[in-house]
Amino acid sequence: MQRILPTLAGLLLASAATVTMAETAAPEDASVYFISPTDGATVSSPVTVQFGLSGMGVAPAGVERAATGHHHLLIDTDQLPPAGQPIPADDHHRHFGGGQTQTSLDLPPGKHTLQLVVGDHNHVPLSPSVTSERITITVE
């Protein structure tokens, strides 16, 4: 019995990681974009990144309110987070669950891509996805 319980717990956690959550509807006219930097900009580190959001409001993670969400910044990643699953939190997926609309990034010299995705109160991308264009910046 002592060996069975840890095995069952592990299987439950593994299967829970692939469970799709209910998606929150995005307002029809919602869009997210970068105020700064602009695509193709050459910048120095730390890089100040300002987020813009139109057609909906910003609310912190955990606050379920119609027509709101919060920003997630994708850094140097080519794939969008899967629909219906919480956006990961790691060096390539930064969460701004406090409702922040700006951040300062320490990035090494070279080319980097940035993209914004709006998530709901549970960090799940909205449906349809409210995603910015992917921009490329060069850090000197």
Side-chain angles (χ1 to χ4, degrees):
M1 186 62 139
Q2 287 180 335
R3 290 184 186 179
I4 294 173
L5 288 179
T7 302
L8 286 174
L11 288 172
L12 286 173
L13 286 174
S15 64
T18 60
V19 171
T20 301
M21 299 180 75
E23 295 175 289
T24 301
E28 195 170 300
D29 59 345
S31 65
V32 63
Y33 54 91
F34 288 98
I35 296 170
S36 70
T38 58
D39 188 35
T42 299
V43 298
S44 57
S45 193
V47 181
T48 299
V49 182
Q50 295 177 306
F51 320 141
L53 185 61
S54 177
M56 61 183 298
V58 175
V63 175
E64 188 173 5
R65 189 173 299 145
T68 66
H70 64 277
H71 295 94
H72 297 82
L73 178 62
L74 309 182
I75 304 166
D76 296 331
T77 183
D78 294 331
Q79 294 184 357
L80 290 174
Q85 294 182 19
I87 298 168
D90 57 33
D91 289 342
H92 297 283
H93 303 84
R94 303 276 178 94
H95 287 239
F96 297 93
Q100 305 94 314
T101 58
Q102 177 174 310
T103 191
S104 181
L105 296 176
D106 288 315
L107 294 172
K111 288 197 180 289
H112 297 278
T113 61
L114 304 175
Q115 190 169 23
L116 293 165
V117 177
V118 179
D120 68 9
H121 60 286
N122 288 321
H123 305 283
V124 175
L126 301 178
S127 180
S129 183
V130 178
T131 306
S132 74
E133 294 292 325
R134 182 177 295 120
I135 65 169
T136 301
I137 62 171
T138 302
V139 177
E140 293 185 324

